[in-house]
Amino acid sequence: MAFDLHSLMSEQEVVAGLRWNNSAGVPIITLMLYEYLLLLDKEVNYVWKRPWSLMSCLYLIVRYFGGGLLYIPESVSYGLIVLIEWGFSVYFWFAEAILIWRLYAICNQSKLLLHVLVGLFLPIVALSIGRTSIYTVDPTRSRGCHPREAL
């Protein structure tokens, strides 16, 4: 089953959305690539030449995986929608984990700060899992309570 953007929006809305996407997407991608090139020498020194750790893996996932989430084709399958939605969730969890880890390191490895931040982070992850699970329910399987109504 594929979702078609044209069936949900008028042609003018589709054209306006594509124009906005083109107008906003090109400068955003250009700035991202410019920033990647500016920091490439530092990344090579501080990430690639050092021994691999969990932090370096998280950093590389967040740095390079996020760019792949920017592209959404005009006609997508349900599976791709689910993949993109879960991809955004995992991407933000990793980014938050990096921020928590950095704050912990900056504040002299304060256990109290770490416990507070993780205590605030875990409910956010739980709510995000619940939200993503609710919004990625297959519409073809949730038409009614009775199995015959779903057919």
Side-chain angles (χ1 to χ4, degrees), residues 3-108:
F3 294 104
D4 188 15
L5 189 60
H6 294 291
S7 64
L8 300 174
M9 299 168 55
S10 73
E11 189 172 330
Q12 289 177 338
E13 291 173 324
V14 171
V15 170
L18 290 173
R19 279 190 185 144
W20 184 88
N21 188 32
N22 289 342
S23 299
V26 171
I28 290 170
I29 291 171
T30 303
L31 285 173
M32 285 177 55
L33 291 175
Y34 179 68
E35 189 262 342
Y36 283 174
L37 291 174
L38 281 179
L39 297 178
L40 185 62
D41 60 335
K42 290 182 181 179
E43 181 178 322
V44 168
N45 287 333
Y46 295 117
V47 177
W48 293 102
K49 288 185 178 179
R50 289 187 173 207
W52 287 91
S53 67
L54 178 62
M55 181 53 77
S56 59
C57 292
L58 281 176
Y59 169 79
L60 292 173
I61 288 170
V62 168
R63 179 136 172 106
Y64 295 105
F65 179 63
L69 294 172
L70 293 176
Y71 175 72
I72 301 174
E74 186 176 324
S75 181
V76 297
S77 67
Y78 172 74
L80 184 60
I81 290 172
V82 171
L83 179 69
I84 290 170
E85 187 68 32
W86 279 103
F88 276 126
S89 295
V90 171
Y91 174 80
F92 287 116
W93 298 338
F94 285 167
E96 290 291 328
I98 289 172
L99 290 174
I100 289 171
W101 205 322
R102 290 180 72 184
L103 281 171
Y104 173 68
I106 288 171
C107 295
N108 296 325

Side-chain angles (χ1 to χ4, degrees), residues 93 121-134:
W93 298 338
F121 176 65
L122 292 178
I124 291 170
V125 170
L127 289 171
S128 177
I129 290 171
R131 180 195 56 85
T132 304
S133 299
I134 289 170

